């Protein structure tokens, strides 16, 4: 209603974008990946308009990044792996831009690492094992740096262990059982 009354109101549009992200998650939770994807597409459209309107608004950029990432997840659930790779790659590009704007912002660095892992996951699905390993290693390096800065952050420690496991899985699939074992031990 707010957007209909005042289509140019950026705050109302932003509320719509955030609402679409929540609704898309709800559809996904119900197993309706098609409706989830459609809702995320709407969030992407709104996010693109907002960011075009004010490219310096970090929150809008972050929400647009999430819209692309969530759309990638919904497309993966629909079996559209190549489309999922494309969306996750867009999310990674946007997360990289954000992280470059504020290299000391640990939250943005953590988001960037998560985006690398998500791209790696999708590359694995489409059979690009070397590309997946590259992305997992990038994610690992970021989380390792974050853990060095704050060794008490359990979420980052868990994410770091997860990237070790992902690298191990990739190495095992590539036939490098010794390398995989090293990564699994590191994860442990």
């Amino acid at each position: 209603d707010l957007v209909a009354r005042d289509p140019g109101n950026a705050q109302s549009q932003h509320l719509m974008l955030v609402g679409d992200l929540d609704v898309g998650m709800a559809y996904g939770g119900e197993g309706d990946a098609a409706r989830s994807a459609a809702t995320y597409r709407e969030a992407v459209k709104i996010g693109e308009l907002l960011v075009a309107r004010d490219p310096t608004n970090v929150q809008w950029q972050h929400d647009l990044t999430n819209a692309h990432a969530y759309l990638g997840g919904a497309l993966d659930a629909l079996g559209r792996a190549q489309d999922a790779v494309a969306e996750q790659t867009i999310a990674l590009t946007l997360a990289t831009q954000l992280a470059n704007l504020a290299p000391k912002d640990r939250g943005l660095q953590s988001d960037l690492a998560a985006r690398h892992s998500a791209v790696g996951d999708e590359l694995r699905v489409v059979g690009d094992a070397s590309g997946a390993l590259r992305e997992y290693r990038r994610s690992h390096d970021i989380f390792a740096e974050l853990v060095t800065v704050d060794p008490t952050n359990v979420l980052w420690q868990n994410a770091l262990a997860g990237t070790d496991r992902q690298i191990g899985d990739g190495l095992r699939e590539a036939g490098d059982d010794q390398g995989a074992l090293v990564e699994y031990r590191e994860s442990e």
Side-chain angles (χ1 to χ4, degrees), residues 4-90:
R5 281 188 234 140
D6 185 4
N9 185 297
Q11 293 304 331
S12 297
Q13 290 174 342
H14 182 248
L15 289 173
M16 187 72 161
L17 183 158
V18 172
D20 281 346
L21 294 177
D22 290 340
V23 170
M25 280 190 252
Y27 285 138
E30 292 177 346
D32 192 343
R35 285 180 83 180
S36 180
T39 305
Y40 291 141
R41 276 193 192 89
E42 288 302 313
V44 165
K45 287 179 191 175
I46 296 167
E48 287 173 343
L49 291 172
L50 288 171
V51 169
R53 182 180 198 166
D54 182 2
T56 65
N57 188 310
V58 173
Q59 184 61 54
W60 295 350
Q61 290 180 33
H62 188 263
D63 291 338
L64 176 58
T65 301
N66 285 338
H68 280 288
Y70 298 172
L71 176 56
L75 293 169
D76 181 69
L78 289 169
R80 295 174 50 191
Q82 290 293 348
D83 294 331
V85 169
E87 289 298 325
Q88 294 294 0
T89 300
I90 292 168

Side-chain angles (χ1 to χ4, degrees), residues 60-163:
W60 295 350
Q61 290 180 33
H62 188 263
D63 291 338
L64 176 58
T65 301
N66 285 338
H68 280 288
Y70 298 172
L71 176 56
L75 293 169
D76 181 69
L78 289 169
R80 295 174 50 191
Q82 290 293 348
D83 294 331
V85 169
E87 289 298 325
Q88 294 294 0
T89 300
I90 292 168
L92 173 58
T93 299
L94 294 170
T96 301
Q97 292 169 356
L98 274 173
N100 288 340
L101 289 174
K104 302 283 187 199
D105 185 321
R106 295 179 190 154
L108 292 177
Q109 295 301 317
S110 179
D111 290 344
L112 175 60
R115 298 284 52 87
H116 279 292
S117 280
V119 170
D121 290 343
E122 294 304 333
L123 289 174
R124 248 173 103 190
V125 170
V126 299
D128 183 355
S130 65
L133 277 170
R134 179 187 65 243
E135 295 302 326
Y136 292 149
R137 286 186 173 118
R138 287 178 178 159
S139 178
H140 178 276
D141 291 347
I142 296 168
F143 279 124
E145 177 64 28
L146 290 170
V147 167
T148 299
V149 170
D150 182 1
T152 65
N153 189 312
V154 177
L155 294 175
W156 292 340
Q157 290 176 2
N158 187 48
L160 179 61
T163 59

